[in-house]
Amino acid sequence: CISADCRGDLYYTNYGQGVLHKMNEFGALLSSNTILDASGNVRYIDEMGWDEGRQVFWGGELNTNAIWTIDRDGLATYQFPGMGGYGLTDGLDFDPTDGTVWHSTDVSSNIAHFSSTGLLLGTLTLLDENNNPEGTISGVEMGASNTIWAGNSPIDDIRRCDKTTGAFVSRFDAGQV
């Protein structure tokens, strides 16, 4: 997974490794920290979204879908259980417009919308150009003007949809998502 803070630093994890890597805008690796909870347990974070107000990443954990906050040094704090289903978080972002978290599992049909305290606010089903459910979401990113971006795994495109209704807005070909 990959995310950036508002200082311009890029952070990423590699699948199943439990390490938070930090790079600058030129691609130089600045640090690599094992992601640990307060008890010293390694946490394997699949997807992350930056929360500027709290100065943390929100992340979904591999195999559990639990939602954690992770500071820049890799300290993970459990927040709440995420979306159920398949154990691979494949879409998570923090929405700075209302302080909420959007979470989906690998090639899911839905994106769960949570308050920062873990209250499920609703589930969004993204629609295609013909008003049919997408069904293969692979990655989630908040957009401007009430939109949400989502990767579409087998079609290899990125869709922009209305984050209130799921209605299709636009798409572009992305190659391999």
Side-chain angles (χ1 to χ4, degrees):
C1 82
I2 190 167
S3 190
D5 65 16
C6 292
R7 297 186 312 195
D9 292 322
L10 185 67
Y11 293 78
Y12 69 95
T13 62
N14 290 318
Y15 179 79
Q17 292 187 0
V19 176
L20 181 65
H21 303 281
K22 176 183 174 183
M23 295 183 347
N24 67 17
E25 67 272 20
F26 304 108
L29 183 63
L30 302 176
S31 65
S32 295
N33 295 308
T34 302
I35 302 170
L36 300 172
D37 64 21
S39 298
N41 300 305
V42 177
R43 295 296 165 186
Y44 302 93
I45 303 300
D46 282 338
E47 294 290 329
M48 299 185 304
W50 179 249
D51 178 346
E52 180 67 14
R54 293 179 182 89
Q55 295 287 298
V56 294
F57 295 97
W58 289 82
E61 186 175 31
L62 177 66
N63 294 326
T64 70
N65 290 322
I67 306 300
W68 295 77
T69 53
I70 304 100
D71 72 12
R72 288 181 172 106
D73 296 320
L75 177 62
T77 304
Y78 177 81
Q79 298 301 317
F80 55 88
M83 183 177 184
Y86 188 70
L88 174 63
T89 292
D90 199 19
L92 187 140
D93 202 13
F94 177 78
D95 189 343
T97 65
D98 61 4
T100 60
V101 176
W102 295 80
H103 178 231
S104 74
T105 57
D106 193 33
V107 295
S108 175
S109 297
N110 300 305
I111 304 170
H113 187 202
F114 293 98
S115 72
S116 62
T117 60
L119 176 66
L120 180 62
L121 301 173
T123 303
L124 182 67
T125 301
L126 301 186
L127 304 174
D128 66 15
E129 299 92 330
N130 299 313
N131 217 29
N132 297 312
E134 273 300 325
T136 53
I137 298 166
S138 183
V140 172
E141 189 72 28
M142 300 318 303
S145 302
N146 200 50
T147 59
I148 189 167
W149 294 89
N152 188 326
S153 188
I155 299 173
D156 295 332
D157 68 4
I158 306 290
R159 304 281 173 128
R160 183 167 55 122
C161 294
D162 182 286
K163 76 177 184 184
T164 303
T165 65
F168 175 84
V169 176
S170 64
R171 73 174 190 89
F172 65 89
D173 184 18
Q176 180 63 39
V177 177

